């Protein structure tokens, strides 16, 4: 899985990347009622322009991405000086209010997440194969304190083999993976697009007791 992801970035096969801010983020982020200044965790962030939009709303961003190619493209397409340093298992690039941590999301530790109170998952859960999604859901729960809020965008496909990424993650699986540790609210379900993908948007609130 990791090697395939890195190869996609090296070869420029990044059809999943959006050249505009995701419309669902624009529609639903205000409803989370997150105070300005809350740091947003964006797992498996790629070079998403959504991160720049979040900064414009007053939120520092911490993005985690396996591909150094994605990170270098992001900072080269941005403005401002870039500082670089090492943090645990990660090489970190910082540009303005955005920190991009290059490495395996599962190596991101609780101690490194103490400032995180908000998260945004546009392409993380749906980028992972079935065997990794349970681990992802548990790891997210361990990183966040009770009351932490987030926005999740999931995709389901009507039929055919699931050869992702992106993978089809239906409502039942979202509930099974996340409801033990998060209060879930389905905010929106879009009609299928031309490729028969149906997009759903969820708000999440971390239940107690929080980190262990």
């Amino acid at each position: 899985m990791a090697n395939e992801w890195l190869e996609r970035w090296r070869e420029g096969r990044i059809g999943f990347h959006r050249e505009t801010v995701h419309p669902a983020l624009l529609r639903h982020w205000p409803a989370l009622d997150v105070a300005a200044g809350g740091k947003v965790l964006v797992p498996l962030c790629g070079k998403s322009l959504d991160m720049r939009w979040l900064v414009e709303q007053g939120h520092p961003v911490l993005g985690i991405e396996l591909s150094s190619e994605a990170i270098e493209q992001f900072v080269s397409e941005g403005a401002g000086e870039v500082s670089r340093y090492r943090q645990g298992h990660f090489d970190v690039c910082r540009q303005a209010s955005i920190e991009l941590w290059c490495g395996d999301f599962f190596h991101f530790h609780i101690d490194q997440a103490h400032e995180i109170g908000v998260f945004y998952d546009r392409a993380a859960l749906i980028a992972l194969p079935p065997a990794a999604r349970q681990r992802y859901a548990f790891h997210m729960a361990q990183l966040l304190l009770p009351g932490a809020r987030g926005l999740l965008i999931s995709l389901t496909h009507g039929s055919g083999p699931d050869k992702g990424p992106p993978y089809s993650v239906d409502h039942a699986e979202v509930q099974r993976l996340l409801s033990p540790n998060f209060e879930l609210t389905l905010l929106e379900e879009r009609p299928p697009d031309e490729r028969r993908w149906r997009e759903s948007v969820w708000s999440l609130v971390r239940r107690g007791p929080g980190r262990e």
Side-chain angles (χ1 to χ4, degrees), residues 1-2 40 68 102 127 131 134 137 176 185 191 199-201 206 211:
M1 173 64 190
V40 183
S68 60
C102 185
Q134 181 70 59
R176 178 179 63 80
T185 303
E199 182 180 272
S200 301
V201 185
R206 178 67 168 99
R211 300 169 180 149

Side-chain angles (χ1 to χ4, degrees), residues 9 14 17-18 42 45-55 61-63 65 67-80 82 84 93-101:
W9 277 99
I14 55 171
H17 174 70
R18 295 182 61 95
V42 184
C45 63
K47 60 172 185 174
S48 173
L49 298 179
D50 296 349
M51 293 188 286
R52 299 201 191 281
W53 183 86
L54 287 166
V55 167
V61 168
L62 193 159
E65 171 55 48
S67 169
S68 60
E69 182 72 27
I71 290 173
E72 293 304 323
Q73 288 183 28
F74 182 87
V75 297
S76 69
E77 294 164 5
V82 178
R84 301 174 187 271
C93 287
R94 183 183 182 102
Q95 186 177 54
S97 297
I98 300 176
E99 302 170 40
L100 298 175
W101 293 46

Side-chain angles (χ1 to χ4, degrees), residues 111-166:
D111 294 340
Q112 297 165 323
H114 64 278
E115 296 181 337
I116 300 296
V118 201
F119 64 95
Y120 172 55
D121 178 346
R122 198 279 285 188
L125 184 66
I126 60 175
L128 297 171
R133 294 200 283 263
Q134 181 70 59
R135 185 184 178 197
Y136 170 82
F138 180 76
H139 190 58
M140 281 291 291
Q142 295 304 298
L143 293 173
L144 300 166
L145 287 172
R149 297 174 179 273
L151 200 66
L152 166 71
I153 299 175
S154 63
L155 293 173
T156 54
H157 197 276
S159 62
D162 195 0
K163 296 181 179 180

